[in-house]
Amino acid sequence: MYTQSFNVPDTDANAGSPLKSVPHDTALQAHFDAVVDADGKIEPRDWMPDAYRKTLVRQISQHAHSEIVGMLPEGNWISRAPSLKRKAILVAKVQDEGGHGLYLYSAAETLGTSRDQMFDALHSGKAKYSSIFNYPTLTWADVGVVGWLVDGAAIMNQIPLCRCSFGPYARAMIRVCKEESFHQRQGFESLMTMMQGTSEQKAMVQDAVNRWWWKCLAMFGPPDADSPNSVQGMRWGIKRISNDDLRQKFVDATVPQAEVLGVTLPDPDLKWNEARGHHDYGQIDWDEFWAVVNGDGPCNKERLATRVKAWNDGAWVRESALAHARKQEARAMKEAA
Ligand code: 3HC
């Protein structure tokens, strides 16, 4: 079941690796703290506390899993896109998400955890991935709303990660954010087109917004007071902005976009608060969020089963690629001899 966090194996799994943890040393710790405090970058070859490494593997691998599981709800619509143009855009977007997963798995591998270990955690249900991808995409309007709201929320969360203290993660996020920005715009543009269409199309967009809005707010993670990882993540410069602050930024940025689009955000408590300089908004259903995170969302089982099937069906491709690489290596050694 999809219930547990991804626990990084203890150091014996890294035994013999050049990346294995170095015994704690005050001078090394002081150097690490100084780099982090000065907003510098920690690189894979640098000494880092075990807990920092573990946190990064947890977050980056969860993020990578979210990217590749996130391909599924939209991938379902490739064969049903309403025009060649929309199909081409959607294919490109879904491919981009696969690419994001690959950059992120590579970034996590630099911390000494293998891709096989990470896939195993995902496929056995031990690893988390974003709650948002456990909801179904029921109509074509959902594809636009996923671009506009889900990718919009993802960018809000991910832009600060471009300044993350761990170099490979920060660098991967720069490219990811550029591509996510295209994803968000294509979603908005697709919805804009529908909102200029028939009353049925407009109703379809409004229905999709109604179903996705609250899930997108929950996507930023639990309230700061209930977020066990935030304080340390921010101390280490991994997280730069808290879950609640990012959620607020997302609400404030999205309200005017909804007005341009002509849709209503489904929250009677949503209103501008002059004193705070922000929008107030209603209560998020955290019971639902935790149920989804703990494996009881509408699509958890389906998403995991699809991933496992894709992995098993692709075994022959991986085996062929390895056999080819072995042949190439043998040929190169023979020529060099
Ligand atoms: N879905 C599932 N689990 C979530 C979650 C969500 N939306 N939000 C939080 N959680 C989990 C955390 O992983 C943590 O569990 P763990 O300790 O077992 O790992 C627990 O809830 C408590 O949350 P915290 O706030 O203490 O955890 P973090 O400090 O790690 O913050 C986070 C959570 C904000 C998601 C942070 O990890 C993060 O910024 N991650 C990187 C970005 C990411 O993973 N985004 C996912 C979406 S990617 C995407 O949408 C793809 C795009 O193409 C659309």
Side-chain angles (χ1 to χ4, degrees), residues 18-37:
L19 297 165
K20 74 180 176 188
S21 53
V22 177
H24 184 273
D25 179 286
T26 317
L28 291 170
Q29 177 75 53
H31 178 72
F32 171 87
D33 290 342
V35 172
V36 168
D37 290 346

Side-chain angles (χ1 to χ4, degrees), residues 266-286:
D267 178 359
D269 297 324
L270 185 64
K271 58 175 179 305
W272 178 251
N273 181 326
E274 194 64 46
R276 287 203 312 122
H278 291 292
H279 292 86
D280 290 336
Y281 56 91
Q283 273 300 315
I284 296 169
D285 185 343
W286 291 113

